[in-house]
């Protein structure tokens, strides 16, 4: 019977990790749909960003209440799951609490885990109340309905179940309780012999053990479909974030080449032609996810959907349609759609007459943005919705000539008068004398 349990455990473990690996490969494939961009400069600053922001949660605590409880859940969930290593060894080799030979150190670790489990349960309850009880504005927005709204609650329920199972598993493990070391919480949950027989206690402990490890594997594979991918992606996302000062926009290489070509009277206009005459020229800006760079697509998968960006967006606050959170969610949804298209067509994307622009994100949303960078500053994991907005605006202007009338008037004035105002060129500098 012992060997059957070990074989069953090994099969479940292999299936769980195998499916997770498959999802990671798909995730990497989808992110690599984006254009290449070099983010290997200044590694010391990048490591510092990752340590301070992803690991140290430095931007989370700007909102103290949410930040404090998030740190509890983050630290508790990560540290408690260190005991998964012991569960895996016990499951594969038929041992029981293999690390108990550590004696007092083991008791200290398990005791710490139990305290953290209770703190995580309390924090999760607070988060649930904030979302579903008092209903904070950023959690009841029109862009957070259906699956995104339910997903957040499912994660909270997952954490409640996993933390409860950990405590029950310890409480009903009589061998662990007789050690009287590390059972700082579970000792108060131990079953009464008047209610439970020894066989019932053993069955409950084994059931809790199996559901706990299976729940962890289910949670691991659920991450791909959830906003909680940031548990894994926050680290690379903060490392590869743009280090340029906020407000400094990148130059389009294709535009730079065209301008240099026009300004150089000795340049050969045919020198810049692609070697392949059938090659599709690169777009100015972006209309679909393949036109964005891979860091922007990584941003979309990393988005926690917390709504901090939208809550500080001046356009959104004044009632305009723009929601930076929706920009990231739409980008991720379109990326998933493109990925499914590739899967269905044996690794090749077949045009589906859809695009990120118009089918997911409207020009009205894009032009509502004030380019103030408030969303970038507020994001706890250094996501930049603004970079996507700017690239899609560039496409509208340079590929479709679809800028708003006010912007067209300004560009016409610059072309004709050398200034954004409708002044005579001789009057351009009159303002400085006023």
């Amino acid at each position: 019977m012992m060997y059957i349990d070990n074989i069953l455990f090994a099969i479940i473990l292999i299936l769980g990790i195998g499916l997770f690996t498959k999802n990671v490969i798909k995730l990497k494939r989808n992110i690599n749909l984006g254009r290449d961009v070099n983010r290997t400069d200044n590694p010391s600053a990048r490591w510092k960003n990752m340590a301070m922001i992803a690991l140290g949660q430095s931007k989370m605590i700007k909102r103290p209440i949410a930040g404090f409880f998030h740190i509890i859940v983050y630290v508790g969930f990560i540290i408690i799951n260190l005991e998964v290593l012991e569960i895996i060894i016990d499951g594969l080799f038929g041992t029981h609490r293999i690390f108990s030979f550590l004696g007092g150190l083991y008791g200290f670790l398990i005791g710490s885990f139990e305290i953290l489990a209770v703190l995580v349960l309390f924090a999760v309850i607070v988060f649930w109340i904030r979302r579903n009880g008092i209903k904070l504005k950023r959690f009841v927005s029109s862009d957070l309905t259906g699956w995104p709204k339910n997903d957040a609650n499912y994660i909270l329920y997952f954490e409640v179940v996993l933390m409860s199972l950990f405590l029950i598993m310890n409480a009903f493990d009589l061998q662990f309780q007789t050690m009287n070391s590390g059972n700082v919480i579970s000792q108060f949950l131990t079953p009464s012999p008047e209610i439970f027989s020894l066989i019932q206690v053993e069955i409950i402990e084994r059931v809790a053990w199996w559901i706990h490890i299976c729940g962890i594997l289910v949670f691991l594979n659920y991450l791909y479909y959830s906003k909680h991918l940031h548990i894994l992606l926050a680290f690379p996302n903060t490392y590869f974030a743009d280090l340029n000062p906020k407000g400094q926009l990148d130059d389009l290489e294709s535009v730079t080449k065209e301008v240099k070509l026009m300004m150089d009277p000795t340049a050969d206009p045919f020198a810049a032609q692609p070697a392949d005459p059938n090659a599709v020229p690169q777009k100015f800006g972006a209309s679909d996810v393949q036109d964005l760079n891979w860091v922007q697509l990584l941003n979309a998968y990393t988005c926690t959907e917390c709504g901090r960006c939208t809550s500080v967006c001046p356009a959104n606050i004044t009632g305009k349609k723009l929601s930076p959170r929706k920009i990231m969610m739409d980008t991720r949804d379109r990326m998933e759609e493109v990925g499914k298209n590739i899967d269905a067509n044996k690794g090749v994307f077949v045009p589906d007459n859809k695009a990120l622009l118009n089918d997911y994100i409207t020009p009205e949303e894009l032009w509502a943005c004030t380019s103030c960078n408030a969303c970038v500053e507020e994001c706890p994991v250094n996501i930049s919705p603004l970079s996507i907005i700017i690239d899609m605006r560039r496409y509208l202007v340079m590929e479709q000539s679809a800028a708003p009338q006010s912007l067209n008037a300004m560009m016409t004035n610059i072309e004709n008068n050398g200034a954004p105002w409708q002044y005579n060129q001789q009057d351009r500098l009159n303002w400085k004398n006023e």
Side-chain angles (χ1 to χ4, degrees), residues 145-429:
T145 57
W147 168 253
K149 181 179 178 64
N150 293 331
D151 173 44
N153 284 327
Y154 294 157
I155 291 291
L156 296 179
Y157 300 146
F158 251 120
E159 291 171 344
V160 167
V161 170
L162 291 177
M163 295 301 103
S164 299
L165 285 170
F166 172 71
L167 293 173
I168 292 172
M169 182 177 71
N170 284 358
F172 280 73
D173 186 347
L174 298 183
Q175 182 178 335
F176 168 69
Q177 290 299 325
T178 56
M179 291 170 52
N180 198 27
S181 176
N183 57 339
V184 292
I185 303 296
S186 60
Q187 62 177 308
F188 302 107
L189 304 174
T190 52
S192 170
E194 298 176 357
I195 302 176
F196 297 96
S197 67
L198 289 177
I199 295 177
Q200 289 173 328
V201 169
E202 183 178 346
I203 291 174
I204 292 173
E205 187 273 334
R206 284 291 86 191
V207 169
W209 187 92
W210 276 99
I211 297 178
H212 181 67
I213 187 59
C214 290
I216 289 173
L217 292 173
V218 169
F219 180 82
L220 182 67
N221 284 283
Y222 178 73
L223 289 180
Y224 176 81
Y225 308 96
S226 165
K227 76 188 188 74
H228 274 62
L229 258 178
H230 73 273
I231 293 175
L232 305 176
L233 297 185
F235 294 91
N237 195 77
T238 50
Y239 181 87
F240 292 115
D242 190 358
L243 296 180
N244 290 322
K246 291 180 179 62
Q248 178 180 328
L249 302 180
D250 63 310
D251 296 325
L252 285 179
E253 185 179 354
S254 52
V255 173
T256 302
K257 287 181 179 178
E258 291 287 338
V259 172
K260 287 181 177 179
L261 186 64
M262 288 189 296
M263 295 180 68
D264 185 359
T266 64
D268 179 2
F270 298 101
Q273 296 298 319
D276 181 4
N278 297 318
V280 178
Q282 183 178 332
K283 292 178 185 176
F284 294 130
S287 64
D288 211 346
V289 291
Q290 297 95 325
D291 307 321
L292 299 171
N293 65 56
W294 66 266
V295 175
Q296 290 169 317
L297 301 187
L298 174 63
N299 280 184
Y301 271 122
T302 309
C303 178
T304 70
E305 299 174 13
C306 66
R308 291 188 180 202
C309 54
T310 297
S311 70
V312 298
C313 174
N316 187 274
I317 291 171
T318 54
K320 294 182 174 62
K321 195 174 181 180
L322 174 64
S323 166
R325 171 171 59 190
K326 180 179 176 295
I327 297 293
M328 304 314 301
M329 292 166 64
D330 285 344
T331 302
R332 174 175 174 165
D333 289 346
R334 174 56 180 165
M335 207 175 356
E336 279 293 294
E337 184 176 48
V338 170
K340 290 176 181 177
N341 181 308
I342 294 173
D343 291 336
N345 293 285
K346 299 180 180 179
V348 178
F349 176 71
V350 176
D352 56 0
N353 297 318
K354 296 178 72 175
L356 182 61
L357 179 63
N358 294 319
D359 290 301
Y360 285 84
I361 301 172
T362 64
E364 180 185 353
E365 295 172 78
L366 298 174
W367 292 116
C369 176
T370 66
S371 308
C372 68
N373 270 290
C375 57
V376 183
E377 175 65 30
E378 191 69 14
C379 179
V381 286
N382 277 18
I383 290 170
S384 177
L386 178 60
S387 69
I388 296 177
I389 292 172
I390 292 297
D391 279 347
M392 296 182 76
R393 278 179 172 180
R394 284 169 167 167
Y395 177 84
L396 287 170
V397 172
M398 291 188 282
E399 292 277 355
Q400 296 190 330
S401 300
Q405 182 58 37
S406 58
L407 186 56
N408 281 330
M410 181 196 73
M411 290 189 289
T412 300
N413 289 334
I414 291 175
E415 183 179 358
N416 295 333
N417 308 321
W421 305 280
Q422 202 168 3
Y423 297 154
N424 186 293
Q425 288 200 21
Q426 295 177 344
D427 298 330
R428 285 180 59 202
L429 298 179

